[in-house]
Amino acid sequence: MFVRKLVEKASKKHRIGGISGLRAEDVSPRLAFHYGVPADAALLAYDPALHVLAVATRNGQIKLFGRDNTQALLQSPSPVPSKFLRIWDIDTKKLCYVHPFEKEITAFSVLQNSFYIYVGDSFGNVSLLKLDLGQTCLVDMPYWIPFSESYGSGANVGNEVEVAFVSPQPLAENNRVLIIFRDGIMSLWDIKTSKVVSLSGKSMQQQSHQEAKAVTSACWACAKGSKIAIGFDSGDIYLWSIPDILNAQNLSSMGNQNLPLQRLNLGYKLDRVSIVSLRWVNSDGKAGRLYVNGFSDHAYLFQIAFLMGFDQIASYFDDGQDYFSSLATKYPWFLSMKDKHQTSTGSADIHKTRNLYVTGHLDGTIRFWDASCPLLLQNLMIKQQNEENSPSGTPITSLQFDMSSSILICGDRSGTVRIITFRKDSSDNIFSFLHAKQGESYNVRCIKLKGAVTSISLISNSKRVAVGTEKGIVSVVSIEDASILYQKQLECRVSGGIASLQFEMYSHNGYDKDLLLVGMEDSTIYILEEETGKLLNTNPVQTNKPSRALLMQTLELSPDDPSLSDTHDTVSKESLLLLCTENAIRLFSLSHAIQGTKNIINKKKPNGSCCFASLIHSVSSEIGLLLVFSNGKIEIRSLPDLSILKEASLRGFSYTRNLNSSSSIACSSDGEIILVNGEETFFFSTLCQNDIYRHVDSINTIYRKDNSPREESSYVVKSPREKKKGIFGMIMKDTKASKGKQSDANGDEQFTATTSEELSSIFSCANFAPVSEKRNSSIKDDENIELDIDDINIDDNPQKQKGPHFPGLSKQKISKGFQSLREKLKPRTEEKVNSGNRKPEDDTSVSQVDQIKMKYGYATNDDPTSLPKMIGNKLQENIKKLEGINIRAGDMANGAQSFSAMAKELLRNTKNEKATS
C-alpha cells in the first residue's frame, strides 16, 4: 500500500514556536502554470501555418501548444461545455466575445484563407458567420443553407435531421460545401447557385433506420475532394465518392449515389466501438494514412489505415486501455530554496536551481528535478539496486530529504529502507550533490522492515530516523549504521498502518521531554518517549469514527495573536496538536493528549472530501493551513480559528487513491504546490509573492508576431520551379489552369482577391428568406405597407441593384408615402442630433453604434460625437434624392402632357386634311 501523505518539509524547523496566523491579504491562490494535456480533452485542431495545436475539453478549457515547447491554458468562466461560439485573445489569455446561438451547434468548419465560418445546427440548417477583426466579434451573414433545400425530397417540417459534418470541398472551397447529416445523407451544395449539386447516402439512411446507426465523424480522404470517409457509432467506416470540381462534366452520372465505394474492416464493428474521430493525411502520391480513433465505455482503440486508391493496404492497431497505467509519478516532495541565495562555482545549470522537486517512481527510481521553471528539468536520477545488483523495480512509497544534512531517506513497497548520504564538496553550493555518482559522491545503507513503508520522519542534524509501515510497526533507526534502535507495534482500528510520524521536544512547567508522535491511518494518535519508545498515553486520542489521517503537526501560537478568542487565552501558551483528516480539522491540547485526554480546542468540517493537507509559511513567518480536495478545490485557512481565508479551484483535477494511480501532490513551505494528474501537471501558488518561476511569460507566448508564418510554414505554395508540391500547391496549379494558366504570382493573388470579393458579395445577400420572414409570409397587405427609411434603396444610378430590391413598391406608392416619410425623417434627425448632448452614461453602446454605421455604409469610428452629424447628413442626402425623384417625376408628367397635346393636335390636323380632300 502506498504512503498516504507527503513527507514533512526540510525547510521547517524542528519546533514551530511563537508564530502568528496568516491574514487574508497575505493569500492569493492562483494557477501559475499548467503543463501537459488536460485529462478531459475532447477535440483537436491544428494550425499548419503557425504550428499551433489546440486541445479543447468538456469543461470549458482550451490548451494551446506551440513551437519550442510553448503552451498556454485558456479557461472559460463556466466549467461546462459551451453551446456558443467564443473568441479568445491569445495574448491576454482571456475570453473577449461570446456569440449566442439559438439552436444547438452540432458541426462547424472554417473556410480557410477567409473570415467565414459554416455552422451546422440540430435542425439541419447551416448558418454562415463572419469574423469582424475590428470589433472582435462574429457577425451573422444573410446567406444560409436551410434543411428543406439541402436534405432533398425527404425534408419535412418537424422531422429535421441534425448536421453531423460540414466542410468546404477541397479544390473548390469557394464554390462548394459538403453537408453530412446524422443519418448518413450527404449533400454537396453549390454556393453561387444555392442548390444541391449531388445527394448521396440513401442506403445509409435506410440502414440507420434498421440498425440504429448514426454518423459520429467524417473527413476528406482525397486531396482533390473526390472521396470522403465517414465513421458511425456502430463501428462502421465507409468511403464514398464525391463529384469533384475537376470532373464537372460527369456530375449527372455521379450526382446521386446510393452505395459507398468501400467499407473498411478495422475490427471496430464487432465491439460496436464508436468512431469518434477520423483524420486523413496525404502522402504525395503514396499510400495515404487514415487515423481512426474509437472510444466506448468498455474500450479505447486507435488505428492507422494505409489507403492507396480504393484499396486498404495495411493497418496498425493499438489498444489504449493500459496507456496511462505506465505513467506514474509517485509521492513527490517539493523543496523551495528561493530565499537561500546560494551561488555556485560549479555547473552553470545547477547554480541557477531555485526550487528542487524530488519524486519516487513505480520502477524504484528517485529523480531530482529543477523546478525553477515550470518545464521541469531532471538533474539527477538514482536507480536502486537489490542484493543481486540488478534493478529491483519495487515502487517507492515514501520519501524524505533533509537539505541541511544532505540525507535522503526512501522506503518501498517491500519494506526496504535506504539511507542515502551525499558528500558535500568544499564550496558553499547546497546543490553540489546533484553531480553525485554512487560510490564517489554518495553512499547507500539499507535496512529491511516488515510491511510496506508508509511514513518517514527525520530531524535535521539528527542521528535518528523514524519509519512506519502498513503493519502498524514504528521503527527508530540509527542513520550512521542503519541499525534498529527499537520497534513498537501499535493497534489501528482499520487496516493501513501508520500515516504520520513527528519528533517533538515538549516543555511544560519545567518539564522537558523528547517525544515521538505517531498518527495512525484511522486518526488514532499515540505519543511515545523518543529514547526508549515507551508509550506515554495508554489511552490514545481518537476520533469518534475512523477517518484517514492526512496531516499531524504540533504548533504553538503567539499569546498576542489577534486571531485568538477569549476562550483560547488559557491555552495560548501551550503547544497545540493539529490533526487533519478527510472530513474534519481538529486542534487538540498537546498536554492533555500526553495524559490520554482528548481536549478539542477547535474543530471544523470542510465541505467536501479532503485528500491533502499541509502547513504553509509567509515570508514574515505567518502560518496557515492548506487543504486540497479530491474535486480540485483548494482552501487556505487561518490558525488557530481555522476560518477560510480564500479558496480556489483547479478545473480538471481529480485525485484518485489506488495502487496504480498517477495522481500526486507536493507542497513547499512557502505555499508552492505541484499537482500531477495523469498527463498534466498543475503549478499552483497560494501566497502573495512574485517571480516564483522563471520564463513563464516566454513559455506562455504561443503566437510569435515577429515570425513570418508564410516563410516557416511547410504548407506555403511552392514556386513552379520547385519539384515538391503539397496540397495547396495542387490547388494553386488547378486554379491557374482555370484562369487561363497564369504563370506569375501576381496573377494568382489577383485571382484569390477576386474570389474573396465574389464570396463577400454572395454571402452578403439573402439567398433564402430567413425563418422569421417565412413565418410571417402569409400576412400581406400592399395598401397598408408602412414605408421606412431602411425599406427604400434610393440611388441616382440607374444601374441594376446588387442587393435586395422590392418589386412591389411602385413610384406611385413612394409618392403616396413621401409626405409621411418626410414627417418621420424630421423627428429622427432631431433625436439623433440631440443624442450628442446626452451624458456619457446615456450614450448608445459601442456595438449598436457600429451596427448603425455599418448599415448606412460608414466605417466604424471610436469618436461618438461624429455619429449625429453623420446620420443627419445621410438623412439629408436621402431627402434630397427623394426630392430629385419627385422633380423628375413632375418633369416627366409635364412632358407627357405636352406630348399628349401635340398628338391630339396632330390627330385633328390629319382629320381635317382627310375631310377637305
Side-chain angles (χ1 to χ4, degrees):
M1 189 67 65
F2 285 111
V3 67
R4 304 306 190 272
K5 64 181 291 295
L6 299 181
V7 295
E8 303 301 333
K9 315 303 178 292
S11 57
K12 293 180 182 178
K13 296 182 180 180
H14 168 57
R15 178 179 177 84
I16 304 175
I19 58 176
S20 57
L22 282 176
R23 298 163 297 178
E25 54 268 25
D26 300 326
V27 180
S28 177
R30 64 202 181 277
L31 180 64
F33 187 77
H34 176 276
Y35 178 84
V37 180
D40 204 16
L43 295 174
L44 299 175
Y46 181 67
D47 185 343
L50 296 174
H51 300 277
V52 175
L53 175 67
V55 181
T57 69
R58 296 182 179 89
N59 56 16
Q61 291 179 322
I62 299 177
K63 186 61 185 288
L64 300 176
F65 297 90
R67 288 183 169 182
D68 302 325
N69 211 9
T70 57
Q71 47 188 288
L73 182 67
L74 311 178
Q75 291 196 114
S76 60
S78 302
V80 293
S82 174
K83 65 173 295 187
F84 305 127
L85 294 174
R86 298 176 172 180
I87 299 178
W88 294 83
D89 188 325
I90 305 300
D91 293 332
T92 61
K93 314 298 185 298
K94 293 182 180 179
L95 181 66
C96 56
Y97 178 78
V98 177
H99 185 80
F101 209 76
E102 295 180 358
K103 307 174 185 66
E104 180 183 356
I105 298 175
T106 57
F108 78 96
S109 177
V110 177
L111 181 59
Q112 297 298 321
N113 300 319
S114 74
F115 298 106
Y116 296 106
I117 303 174
Y118 293 105
V119 180
D121 59 42
S122 55
F123 285 83
N125 301 320
V126 176
S127 305
L128 192 72
L129 302 177
K130 182 180 180 181
L131 174 62
D132 188 339
L133 289 180
Q135 300 301 318
T136 317
C137 66
L138 293 173
V139 180
D140 291 289
M141 303 301 292
Y143 190 97
W144 68 304
I145 307 175
F147 171 76
S148 58
E149 299 291 336
S150 62
Y151 190 76
S153 59
N156 297 319
V157 178
N159 295 325
E160 293 87 356
V161 182
E162 67 181 28
V163 177
F165 175 82
V166 57
S167 175
Q169 185 180 22
L171 298 187
E173 288 87 351
N174 296 339
N175 299 314
R176 294 177 180 178
V177 59
L178 179 65
I179 305 171
I180 303 179
F181 297 92
R182 191 66 69 187
D183 59 358
I185 294 293
M186 292 168 286
S187 176
L188 186 61
W189 183 265
D190 187 274
I191 297 174
K192 293 183 180 180
T193 61
S194 290
K195 66 179 183 181
V196 175
V197 175
S198 169
L199 194 65
S200 308
K202 290 292 184 181
S203 61
M204 291 294 98
Q205 184 188 34
Q206 297 172 0
Q207 291 183 20
S208 64
H209 292 308
Q210 297 173 0
E211 303 179 16
K213 66 170 62 175
V215 175
T216 53
S217 59
C219 73
W220 292 103
C222 179
K224 63 179 183 178
S226 62
K227 288 195 289 292
I228 188 80
I230 304 178
F232 292 82
D233 57 357
S234 61
D236 290 311
I237 302 176
Y238 290 92
L239 281 179
W240 283 82
S241 176
I242 302 296
D244 59 79
I245 196 68
L246 301 178
N247 297 318
Q249 64 274 13
N250 299 326
L251 189 60
S252 58
S253 61
M254 301 175 60
N256 298 293
Q257 301 182 55
N258 290 323
L259 294 176
L261 292 174
Q262 185 183 10
R263 173 182 170 183
L264 300 183
N265 184 14
L266 302 180
Y268 294 86
K269 174 80 173 169
L270 183 62
D271 297 328
R272 293 190 65 86
V273 178
S274 178
I275 309 301
V276 295
S277 67
L278 291 170
R279 291 292 183 272
W280 179 81
V281 178
N282 188 21
S283 299
D284 294 333
K286 301 178 181 178
R289 296 186 299 273
L290 180 65
Y291 293 85
V292 183
N293 190 17
F295 180 80
S296 66
D297 294 336
H298 59 276
Y300 169 75
L301 303 173
F302 178 74
Q303 198 163 359
I304 304 174
F306 296 90
L307 305 176
M308 174 63 77
F310 296 147
D311 299 326
Q312 177 185 347
I313 298 177
S315 62
Y316 170 76
F317 178 79
D318 179 26
D319 186 352
Q321 183 177 2
D322 298 327
Y323 177 70
F324 295 105
S325 62
S326 61
L327 303 172
T329 302
K330 301 304 299 181
Y331 306 102
W333 180 54
F334 188 33
L335 181 64
S336 175
M337 301 301 297
K338 183 179 63 175
D339 299 325
K340 300 301 181 181
H341 303 294
Q342 297 292 333
T343 59
S344 172
T345 57
S347 171
D349 293 331
I350 292 179
H351 87 276
K352 295 180 180 179
T353 301
R354 185 166 53 185
N355 296 326
L356 188 63
Y357 184 54
V358 187
T359 58
H361 298 257
L362 290 175
D363 60 358
T365 60
I366 300 172
R367 309 187 184 204
F368 291 79
W369 308 83
D370 180 3
S372 305
C373 171
L375 301 180
L376 299 178
L377 176 65
Q378 180 177 308
N379 288 332
L380 175 65
M381 183 184 72
I382 298 177
K383 199 167 187 178
Q384 303 299 334
Q385 303 288 330
N386 58 16
E387 295 179 355
E388 288 77 17
N389 199 29
S390 61
S392 62
T394 306
I396 302 296
T397 55
S398 186
L399 279 174
Q400 180 157 357
F401 179 64
D402 180 61
M403 179 66 71
S404 60
S405 59
S406 298
I407 295 178
L408 173 68
I409 312 293
C410 67
D412 59 28
R413 190 188 299 175
S414 67
T416 302
V417 179
R418 292 176 173 85
I419 304 174
I420 303 174
T421 304
F422 295 93
R423 299 174 184 173
K424 297 182 180 180
D425 58 15
S426 57
S427 66
D428 294 332
N429 178 23
I430 60 176
F431 294 107
S432 59
F433 68 89
L434 295 177
H435 290 296
K437 293 182 180 179
Q438 185 172 359
E440 298 178 4
S441 302
Y442 70 90
N443 56 65
V444 181
R445 293 181 295 274
C446 300
I447 188 172
K448 185 75 171 181
L449 301 177
K450 185 178 180 180
V453 177
T454 57
S455 182
I456 297 175
S457 179
L458 173 67
I459 306 176
S460 298
N461 300 319
S462 174
K463 298 181 180 180
R464 298 181 178 183
V465 58
V467 182
T469 67
E470 63 177 355
K471 303 295 185 181
I473 300 175
V474 178
S475 303
V476 177
V477 180
S478 173
I479 294 178
E480 293 182 351
D481 56 0
S483 61
I484 298 177
L485 300 179
Y486 65 84
Q487 289 183 324
K488 190 74 174 181
Q489 177 78 51
L490 300 174
E491 295 183 359
C492 184
R493 290 176 289 179
V494 295
S495 60
I498 296 171
S500 180
L501 294 168
Q502 183 186 349
F503 289 105
E504 174 69 21
M505 184 179 65
Y506 177 70
S507 299
H508 182 68
N509 295 331
Y511 174 79
D512 297 332
K513 200 72 171 179
D514 290 330
L515 306 177
L516 176 60
L517 280 66
V518 182
M520 306 299 292
E521 180 71 17
D522 63 351
S523 299
T524 300
I525 299 177
Y526 293 95
I527 302 177
L528 307 178
E529 190 179 61
E530 180 186 334
E531 291 293 332
T532 62
K534 178 183 177 182
L535 182 63
L536 297 180
N537 59 339
T538 54
N539 294 322
V541 177
Q542 292 181 334
T543 56
N544 294 332
K545 295 181 180 180
S547 179
R548 190 168 70 95
L550 302 173
L551 174 67
M552 181 187 65
Q553 179 72 51
T554 59
L555 51 94
E556 181 179 321
L557 301 181
S558 301
D560 56 349
D561 194 311
S563 62
L564 290 171
S565 62
D566 294 338
T567 56
H568 295 155
D569 288 344
T570 56
V571 296
S572 60
K573 295 182 180 181
E574 294 189 26
S575 295
L576 302 179
L577 179 60
L578 173 67
L579 177 65
C580 296
T581 64
E582 286 182 319
N583 54 17
I585 313 167
R586 298 174 178 87
L587 274 174
F588 299 97
S589 169
L590 181 58
S591 60
H592 287 79
I594 294 175
Q595 299 172 9
T597 304
K598 183 173 68 174
N599 183 13
I600 299 179
I601 304 301
N602 197 1
K603 178 182 177 181
K604 296 289 183 180
K605 294 194 70 175
N607 184 17
S609 176
C610 188
C611 62
F612 177 81
S614 177
L615 294 181
I616 56 177
H617 302 72
S618 67
V619 178
S620 53
S621 298
E622 288 86 5
I623 189 172
L625 177 63
L626 168 72
L627 300 177
V628 180
F629 294 82
S630 57
N631 60 357
K633 183 177 71 171
I634 296 177
E635 289 183 355
I636 297 96
R637 292 177 176 261
S638 62
L639 291 171
D641 58 349
L642 303 179
S643 61
I644 298 178
L645 296 175
K646 288 183 182 178
E647 58 183 0
S649 179
L650 282 177
R651 190 179 305 180
F653 178 82
S654 60
Y655 185 85
T656 55
R657 180 174 175 260
N658 55 57
L659 191 63
N660 293 321
S661 171
S662 57
S663 300
S664 63
I665 307 174
C667 181
S668 67
S669 61
D670 56 356
E672 297 302 319
I673 318 172
I674 294 182
L675 306 96
V676 179
N677 184 31
E679 289 288 279
E680 57 185 335
T681 303
F682 300 86
F683 294 81
F684 195 85
S685 301
T686 59
L687 301 180
C688 297
Q689 50 185 349
N690 298 321
D691 194 26
I692 302 167
Y693 299 103
R694 292 194 293 257
H695 313 306
V696 175
D697 293 338
S698 177
I699 298 173
N700 273 324
T701 305
I702 303 298
Y703 291 95
R704 303 189 182 276
K705 299 179 181 180
D706 55 340
N707 294 336
S708 174
R710 293 187 61 85
E711 294 179 359
E712 299 178 359
S713 173
S714 59
Y715 288 82
V716 177
V717 179
K718 304 295 183 180
S719 63
R721 296 181 179 179
E722 293 178 344
K723 295 182 179 180
K724 295 183 179 180
K725 290 183 174 62
I727 297 177
F728 287 95
M730 297 169 59
I731 295 174
M732 294 305 298
K733 180 179 179 181
D734 293 326
T735 47
K736 288 178 185 178
S738 64
K739 296 297 290 183
K741 298 183 179 180
Q742 300 177 8
S743 59
D744 57 300
N746 295 331
D748 299 336
E749 295 177 359
Q750 184 177 359
F751 172 75
T752 304
T754 303
T755 304
S756 300
E757 292 178 358
E758 291 177 356
L759 278 180
S760 178
S761 177
I762 295 172
F763 291 157
S764 299
C765 299
N767 55 339
F768 296 99
V771 179
S772 59
E773 292 188 12
K774 285 187 176 182
R775 215 177 278 125
N776 301 326
S777 61
S778 59
I779 304 175
K780 294 183 179 180
D781 189 354
D782 293 341
E783 296 299 327
N784 295 325
I785 295 178
E786 182 180 358
L787 295 179
D788 198 327
I789 186 64
D790 298 330
D791 298 331
I792 306 174
N793 187 5
I794 305 171
D795 200 343
D796 294 330
N797 192 349
Q799 295 181 359
K800 183 179 178 180
Q801 298 178 4
K802 294 183 179 180
H805 63 281
F806 304 90
L809 295 178
S810 62
K811 290 186 178 180
Q812 289 79 3
K813 292 181 180 179
I814 295 177
S815 299
K816 183 179 179 180
F818 178 76
Q819 187 61 31
S820 61
L821 180 60
R822 292 193 62 179
E823 294 175 359
K824 294 173 66 175
L825 291 175
K826 184 176 180 181
R828 279 196 180 189
T829 306
E830 295 176 354
E831 179 183 355
K832 297 301 180 181
V833 173
N834 292 334
S835 65
N837 299 326
R838 295 177 183 173
K839 294 182 180 180
E841 57 269 18
D842 297 331
D843 288 347
T844 309
S845 65
V846 176
S847 59
Q848 293 173 340
V849 172
D850 292 337
Q851 290 176 5
I852 294 174
K853 292 180 180 181
M854 293 171 64
K855 196 168 212 178
Y856 288 97
Y858 281 78
T860 58
N861 195 324
D862 294 335
D863 185 10
T865 61
S866 63
L867 176 63
K869 182 178 179 180
M870 179 193 68
I871 297 178
N873 293 336
K874 185 63 179 179
L875 293 174
Q876 291 297 331
E877 291 177 5
N878 289 340
I879 291 175
K880 292 179 180 180
K881 289 182 179 181
L882 286 172
E883 291 176 347
I885 293 174
N886 193 30
I887 294 172
R888 289 196 297 271
D891 294 340
M892 292 174 64
N894 294 334
Q897 292 177 359
S898 299
F899 179 79
S900 178
M902 292 173 61
K904 290 179 181 179
E905 183 66 24
L906 178 62
L907 181 60
R908 282 196 302 269
N909 294 335
T910 304
K911 289 181 178 180
N912 291 335
E913 290 178 358
K914 288 182 179 181
T916 56
S917 62

